[in-house]
Amino acid sequence: MADQSDTNPASDILKTRERYLAERDKRSATDAGQRQYRDVEQGFAHLLDDPYGTAPARASVHDDVDVLVVGAGFGGMMVAARLRETGVAKVRIVDVASDVGGTWYWNRYPGAACDVESYIYFPLLEETGYMPVERYSKAAEIRAHTKRIAEHYDLYRDALFSTQVKSVDWDGAAARWTVRTDRGDVMSAQYVVLTTGPLNRPKLPEIPGLDDFAGHSFHTSRWDYAYTGGSATEPLSGLAGKRVGLIGTGATSIQCVPPLAASAQHLTVFQRTPSSVDARDNSPTDPAWAANLQPGWQQRRMENFTAQFTAQLPPHDEVRDGWTVLARAVREKLADNPQGLDPGTLLEQADFEKMAQIRERIGSIVEDPATAEALKPWFSLYCKRPCFSDLYLQAFNRPNVKLVETAGYGIDRITPDGVVVGDVEYPLDCLIFATGFETSTSYEKRSGMTIHGVGGRSLTDKWSGGVSTLHGMHTRGFPNLFVISQAQAGMSPNFPHMLSEQSLHLAHIVADCAAKGIGAIEPTEEAEGNWVETIVQMAEGRRKFIEACTPGYYNNEGRATGAAAKGSPFGAGPVEFVKLLRMWREQGDLAGMELDGEHARGTKEMTS
C-alpha cells in the first residue's frame, strides 16, 4: 500500500486519522484490559542477576544515616549530589547493581547510546567539568560519566552495591525509617528517597511456550556477551553461523539490530508495532563551540529543549534535532498563517507532515516494498518514543535479515526450535528479548521491596486505586519518604532535566527541615487530595490524544482513565511544573506539609 500524499491536506489528514485509529485498534483488540507479561521470577529469575559484576563478601551493616537513597541511576546520583552540596553529612546509596549507572549500568547491548543530545542528557556536566565527545554518546561514555559523578561527590564512601533493599518500615516513635536488605543490613535513616526509576525490571511477554525454547535466550538489559562474543562496539563473533531472533522493535531494537545483522548468519526481527525512525546525524563535539559556552549553559540548554514541547514555544531552538522538529515547524506555520489557525491545529498539521516524511524516508531506504510498508509508523510522533538511526532501516536490505510483521497481534507461540507467527515457524538458535521493562505493575513489585508507613500500611495498599502524592514526590502516611518519578510530576523527553529539578527541590526541603529542626514531614490530606484532583482533571485534557495512540509505555498503554489517569504527569507541562516548584520553595513555608505532626508519630489514626 503506497503512502498517502499531501495533494489535499484536509482530506489527507482525515484519511490519516482513520489509518491511525485502524492501526491502534490492531493492538487494542489484542490488548483487552492490561497486557499480560511474565513475571521474570517465574522461570526466568536469572534475568535479574548481574552479569557485569559480582557481590563482594562483606559484613552486614548496622548503622544510622541521614538520607538513604534507593537506586544509583541518574536520579539517585543527582539526589545524593545535591544533598552533598547542601551539607548533608551521611548520604548512603544502595543499589542491586555492582556500581553506579542505573539503566546505563544494565544496558550494555551492542549499539547502545543516548538518543537525546549528550549536552543536555548527561547530568552535572558543568559541576564535574566534563564535555561529551560526541552529540549522541555511546553507553560506555555515559557509564564512565556516572562514575565521574560518584567520585566528584564522594558518593562511593557510604554506598552499598550488589545489595537489594527488601523492606522499608516507618518507626513513628523514633521518626525514622528502618531499612533491611538481602545482605543482612539493618539501617536507620531519617529520610528515604526512592529513585528506582521506571526502567529497571526486565519485562517478558506472556507468549505460549515461553518456557519451551531449547536454544539460547536472554534479555537485552542482560546482554550475554559470553554467548554472542564481541562487545558493544566490536563484531559479535559468537553469532557466526547462528540463526538469531529478536522480539521487539522499540528504541533498544533500533540500536542493536544493525550489529546483530552484521554478525549473525540470519536475523529475524519480530514486530508488533513499528517505531518512527528518523535520521540520527551524530557528530563529534565541536571544540570551538564548547570553548565559547558561558557559565550556566547546560541549565539554559535543558530548559530551552524542554520548552519546545510546551505551549510556551520559545522563539528559538538551541538543540535543533529530531526531537524538536515539530516546534520548529509550528513556528514556521505561525509566521505564515493566513487562515489564522490556532496553534493546536498547526501542531496537528506539522505532526502529520513529519510522520509522512518519516514514512517516505523509510520507503526510500528499504528496498523491499512489503518490508518498507510494514516498517512505516501510523501514529502521532509522540505517541511512542521517537527513534533515530542511520543504520537500522538499512539493515533490512541485507539478505540475511527478515522482518516478521505480526499486524499488532504479536507472536503466536514459541516452540523448542523457534518462534511461530501464523502458520510459519522460524527456526532459531538464539532468541533475544528487546521487550523493555515493567512499567505498569505496582511500585513494590518493580522495585523488589516492601514499603510500610504509618500504622504499618503498605504503599501498594495506599496506591491500589492509583498514585496519590503531593507534587509527585510526597505521599501522606509515609513521612520523610521521597519518590522520584514522572507520575504526578513534570515529564520531559529529556528525563534527566526533570530529575535535576526534583533533586534540587528535595535537597531544599531536607536542608530547610534541618535548619528549622523539623523531624518529620508529610503532605496534609487536603494538599495531597487537591494535587491528585488537579492531575486527574489535567489528564482529561490529554485523554483524546492518549486514547488515539497505539498502546505503549510512553502513553500509559493507551489509557487515560481511573487509576491510570492518577499516574499521569502534570498536565500543564514540565515548564509550568518547574515554575510551580520554584515558587513553592520561594514561599518558604513548606505549604501543604504537616510538620512533626501526630499523624507521623502514629498517635493519630490515618485516614488518607
Side-chain angles (χ1 to χ4, degrees):
M1 180 178 179
D3 199 358
Q4 297 159 346
S5 63
D6 289 326
T7 55
N8 184 333
S11 174
D12 245 19
I13 287 179
L14 181 60
K15 292 178 181 178
T16 304
R17 284 180 187 150
E18 293 173 350
R19 178 67 186 271
Y20 281 7
L21 293 177
E23 294 296 321
R24 178 208 63 184
D25 290 345
K26 288 181 181 179
R27 279 281 292 269
S28 299
T30 61
D31 291 336
Q34 185 170 335
R35 289 190 284 155
Q36 297 300 308
Y37 294 101
R38 171 71 67 89
D39 184 337
V40 293
E41 293 186 6
Q42 297 177 4
F44 293 87
H46 62 281
L47 293 182
L48 299 175
D49 294 341
D50 184 354
Y52 312 121
T54 57
R58 66 170 178 83
S60 59
V61 174
H62 300 264
D63 68 356
D64 186 272
V65 297
D66 297 313
V67 184
L68 189 142
V69 181
V70 184
F74 280 0
M77 298 181 72
M78 277 192 271
V79 164
R82 296 309 186 190
L83 288 169
R84 280 273 194 265
E85 289 176 345
T86 63
V88 178
K90 194 158 187 178
V91 181
R92 168 166 293 145
I93 291 179
V94 182
D95 199 289
V96 69
S98 66
D99 206 339
V100 296
T103 297
W104 291 106
Y105 177 89
W106 299 113
N107 277 346
R108 306 190 187 202
Y109 56 84
C114 62
D115 57 8
V116 171
E117 187 188 69
S118 305
Y119 317 127
I120 59 173
Y121 186 76
F122 278 46
L124 305 167
L125 284 177
E126 288 189 85
E127 291 84 346
T128 57
Y130 183 70
M131 178 60 65
V133 301
E134 55 187 337
R135 193 176 188 193
Y136 302 101
S137 294
K138 297 175 180 60
E141 185 186 3
I142 302 172
R143 198 158 52 250
H145 184 61
T146 64
K147 295 181 180 181
R148 181 178 297 108
I149 294 171
E151 291 165 354
H152 181 84
Y153 287 97
D154 196 21
L155 303 183
Y156 283 121
R157 184 179 69 207
D158 295 313
L160 294 178
F161 296 111
S162 301
T163 302
Q164 170 69 58
V165 171
K166 300 302 292 183
S167 65
V168 180
D169 299 295
W170 175 248
D171 181 344
R176 300 188 75 80
W177 289 97
T178 300
V179 180
R180 294 177 172 83
T181 77
D182 64 347
R183 305 289 296 274
D185 310 307
V186 182
M187 300 164 286
S188 173
Q190 182 176 6
Y191 298 96
V192 168
V193 187
L194 306 178
T195 66
T196 53
L199 307 178
N200 64 85
R201 187 180 176 91
K203 178 175 67 179
L204 293 176
E206 186 61 273
I207 301 172
L210 184 63
D211 302 285
D212 298 337
F213 184 61
H216 194 77
S217 66
F218 56 87
H219 192 275
T220 50
S221 69
R222 304 293 193 274
W223 195 272
D224 190 351
Y225 283 108
Y227 179 85
T228 66
S231 69
T233 57
E234 298 173 340
L236 307 173
S237 57
L239 297 183
K242 296 291 197 308
R243 300 163 299 178
V244 178
L246 180 71
I247 299 178
T249 50
T252 295
S253 182
I254 303 306
Q255 295 186 344
C256 70
V257 158
L260 284 171
S263 302
Q265 174 187 329
H266 194 275
L267 173 65
T268 304
V269 179
F270 299 93
Q271 172 182 279
R272 183 159 62 166
T273 304
S275 289
S276 66
V277 184
D278 208 350
R280 186 174 183 81
D281 296 330
N282 198 9
S283 59
T285 298
D286 180 358
W289 169 80
N292 287 325
L293 293 171
Q294 300 300 309
W297 70 267
Q298 188 183 31
Q299 181 67 24
R300 290 191 296 272
R301 195 174 183 88
M302 286 193 301
E303 291 177 352
N304 179 268
F305 176 85
T306 295
Q308 305 298 322
F309 304 90
T310 68
Q312 285 82 3
L313 200 64
H316 67 288
D317 175 6
E318 292 190 21
V319 174
R320 294 189 63 82
D321 67 358
W323 283 98
T324 60
V325 64
L326 291 189
R328 296 196 300 276
V330 170
R331 269 191 292 268
E332 292 174 3
K333 289 179 179 295
L334 283 171
D336 181 21
N337 185 18
Q339 296 177 312
L341 298 176
D342 66 272
T345 300
L346 296 177
L347 175 61
E348 184 181 38
Q349 289 181 356
D351 189 302
F352 281 131
E353 290 167 7
K354 180 59 188 177
M355 293 305 291
Q357 178 188 336
I358 287 174
R359 292 190 293 272
E360 182 180 356
R361 176 175 178 266
I362 292 170
S364 70
I365 292 174
V366 181
E367 297 166 358
D368 177 65
T371 301
E373 193 60 38
L375 286 166
K376 292 178 181 179
W378 291 93
F379 45 77
S380 292
L381 183 61
Y382 300 130
C383 275
K384 296 175 71 68
R385 188 172 180 86
C387 298
F388 308 93
S389 175
D390 299 324
L391 301 171
Y392 175 75
L393 297 172
Q394 292 80 348
F396 292 97
N397 293 330
R398 300 177 64 103
N400 68 321
V401 177
K402 180 176 180 59
L403 177 73
V404 176
E405 165 60 27
T406 70
Y409 181 78
I411 290 167
D412 287 279
R413 67 182 187 278
I414 297 174
T415 71
D417 299 319
V419 168
V420 176
V421 176
D423 297 326
V424 180
E425 180 175 16
Y426 298 89
L428 301 172
D429 301 300
C430 176
L431 183 57
I432 303 172
F433 294 94
T435 48
F437 302 87
E438 289 188 17
T439 59
S440 56
T441 52
S442 74
Y443 190 94
E444 293 180 1
K445 174 70 177 299
R446 297 195 306 273
S447 63
M449 59 186 166
T450 60
I451 304 161
H452 292 90
V454 174
R457 188 182 190 186
S458 73
L459 187 63
T460 293
D461 177 42
K462 171 160 186 187
W463 286 359
S464 60
V467 176
S468 181
T469 74
L470 174 62
H471 300 156
M473 186 176 292
H474 323 272
T475 187
R476 184 165 176 78
F478 297 81
N480 293 4
L481 181 77
F482 299 89
V483 181
I484 303 296
S485 77
Q486 296 171 10
Q488 298 190 358
M491 180 175 131
S492 166
N494 182 28
F495 293 167
H497 181 197
M498 290 300 102
L499 293 175
S500 175
E501 297 294 343
Q502 289 170 306
S503 64
L504 287 167
H505 190 69
L506 183 155
H508 168 88
I509 292 171
V510 171
D512 202 21
C513 286
K516 295 174 180 178
I518 298 168
I521 182 171
E522 64 178 319
T524 66
E525 186 173 355
E526 179 183 14
E528 182 172 312
N530 289 341
W531 185 254
V532 173
E533 183 178 354
T534 296
I535 295 297
V536 172
Q537 288 177 347
M538 287 182 170
E540 185 63 27
R542 300 174 64 244
R543 180 176 177 179
K544 182 178 179 181
F545 173 78
I546 290 174
E547 292 183 343
C549 285
T550 188
Y553 90 90
Y554 209 54
N555 71 350
N556 215 9
E557 302 293 348
R559 300 189 302 274
T561 59
K566 289 185 179 180
S568 300
F570 181 65
V575 172
E576 291 302 313
F577 179 73
V578 171
K579 287 181 180 178
L580 183 149
L581 293 187
R582 290 176 180 171
M583 290 175 61
W584 187 92
R585 295 197 296 269
E586 290 169 1
Q587 189 172 321
D589 59 355
L590 299 171
M593 306 298 281
E594 185 174 303
L595 313 176
D596 286 327
E598 295 178 352
H599 183 261
R601 297 289 182 179
T603 58
K604 183 179 181 180
E605 184 178 352
M606 182 168 62
T607 59
S608 62

